[in-house]
């Protein structure tokens, strides 16, 4: 990588970081390129030259975030760790995702960008489903997941969560501590209402 390419990469990362900060603060609907340019200390022209449009920039930031998360998750899962550590890792990733991309923000982003919604659907089919099946099968083989639980059961349960996503989000918003509510739902998904790990 030559000096020009390295500098361009540094500027892009600076813009992406500023975009993440601003998305957390106000969501994509209120994100303005002029404000972003000031925050990132670059010109508006630079942002457009690198990303083309505000929508493409938001999409790029989200996809880059998801790509890093998926790569990290796959590396962790390939280390041969016991089921308990895998579930703890998934819970930690969920907590980080809620912080970086709260459900309300994701909902707004998906409502405004059909391409991003299609990307999420593709990630679910090509990454989430195969990894879920693998984790279930490994857990059953090690005796850490009941033989009575199939991958189809878990995927159906995930689909129930997804179908009620808006209801769960509304309930989280009305709760005293939204993050704690969402964490509790994820914990219950993995450990049931008895909470045994």
């Amino acid at each position: 990588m030559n000096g020009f390419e390295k500098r361009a990469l540094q500027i892009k990362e600076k813009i992406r970081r500023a975009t993440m900060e601003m998305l957390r603060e106000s969501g994509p609907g209120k994100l303005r390129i002029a404000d972003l340019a000031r925050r990132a200390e670059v010109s508006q022209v630079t942002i457009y030259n690198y990303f083309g449009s505000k929508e493409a920039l938001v999409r790029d930031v989200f996809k880059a975030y998801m790509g890093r998360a998926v790569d990290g998750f796959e590396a962790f899962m390939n280390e041969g760790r016991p089921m308990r550590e895998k579930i703890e890792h998934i819970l930690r990733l969920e907590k980080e995702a809620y912080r970086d991309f709260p459900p309300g923000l994701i909902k707004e982003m998906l409502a405004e960008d059909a391409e991003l919604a299609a990307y999420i659907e593709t990630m679910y089919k090509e990454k989430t489903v195969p990894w879920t099946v693998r984790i279930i099968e490994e857990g059953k083989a090690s005796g850490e997941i009941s033989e009575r639980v199939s991958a189809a059961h878990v995927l159906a349960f995930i689909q129930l969560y997804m179908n009620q996503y808006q209801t769960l989000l509304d309930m989280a918003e009305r709760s005293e501590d939204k993050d704690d509510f969402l964490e509790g739902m994820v914990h219950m998904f993995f450990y049931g209402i008895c909470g045994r790990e």
Side-chain angles (χ1 to χ4, degrees):
M1 184 182 300
N2 64 35
F4 177 79
E5 291 169 333
K6 189 174 182 180
R7 174 83 177 126
L9 189 59
Q10 289 171 340
I11 292 170
K12 281 183 171 181
E13 282 307 308
K14 193 175 180 183
I15 294 167
R16 287 181 180 121
R17 278 193 305 275
T19 303
M20 275 286 288
E21 291 169 9
M22 293 181 75
L23 283 171
R24 279 191 219 116
E25 292 167 10
S26 59
K30 295 181 181 173
L31 181 69
R32 294 180 50 236
I33 294 295
D35 298 332
L36 177 59
R38 276 192 294 280
R39 173 83 59 104
E41 299 174 332
V42 298
S43 72
Q44 293 181 50
V45 172
T46 298
I47 294 172
Y48 285 114
N49 283 342
Y50 283 131
F51 298 99
S53 69
K54 180 181 92 166
E55 294 74 21
L57 171 59
V58 169
R59 196 178 305 127
D60 175 89
V61 167
F62 185 75
K63 286 181 175 182
Y65 177 89
M66 289 296 293
R68 285 189 303 271
V70 167
D71 289 347
F73 176 78
E74 290 180 343
F76 185 90
M77 291 298 153
N78 284 327
E79 292 174 0
R81 297 173 183 264
M83 183 61 55
R84 179 186 174 94
E85 286 183 31
K86 290 177 182 176
I87 292 173
E88 287 172 353
H89 185 70
I90 291 168
L91 292 171
R92 190 168 42 258
L93 289 177
E94 287 289 329
K95 190 173 185 177
E96 289 171 10
Y98 286 146
R99 185 195 68 232
D100 294 334
F101 282 97
L105 173 57
I106 291 176
K107 177 187 168 195
E108 186 180 347
M109 290 168 61
L110 296 181
E112 294 181 8
D113 190 336
E115 185 179 326
L116 194 55
Y119 170 78
I120 293 291
E121 182 66 22
T122 299
M123 289 290 283
Y124 176 74
K125 288 177 181 173
E126 293 179 4
K127 299 288 185 177
T128 304
V129 170
W131 274 103
T132 301
V133 170
R134 178 178 164 183
I135 289 168
I136 297 302
E137 295 307 319
E138 287 176 0
K140 287 168 73 170
S142 68
E144 296 172 277
I145 293 179
S146 169
E147 282 296 323
R148 296 185 66 193
V149 175
S150 70
H153 293 133
V154 175
L155 292 171
F157 207 69
I158 290 171
Q159 191 61 52
L160 289 172
Y161 266 83
M162 291 171 68
N163 290 346
Q164 293 301 314
Y165 177 75
Q166 183 59 53
T167 302
L168 289 171
L169 187 55
D170 292 343
M171 292 170 77
E173 291 293 338
R174 289 192 305 270
S175 70
E176 291 179 20
D177 184 338
K178 179 174 67 175
D179 292 336
D180 185 61
F181 179 89
L182 293 170
E183 263 187 65
M185 293 302 295
V186 172
H187 186 87
M188 192 166 67
F189 172 82
F190 283 107
Y191 299 118
I193 61 172
C194 295
R196 293 192 188 94
E197 300 182 12

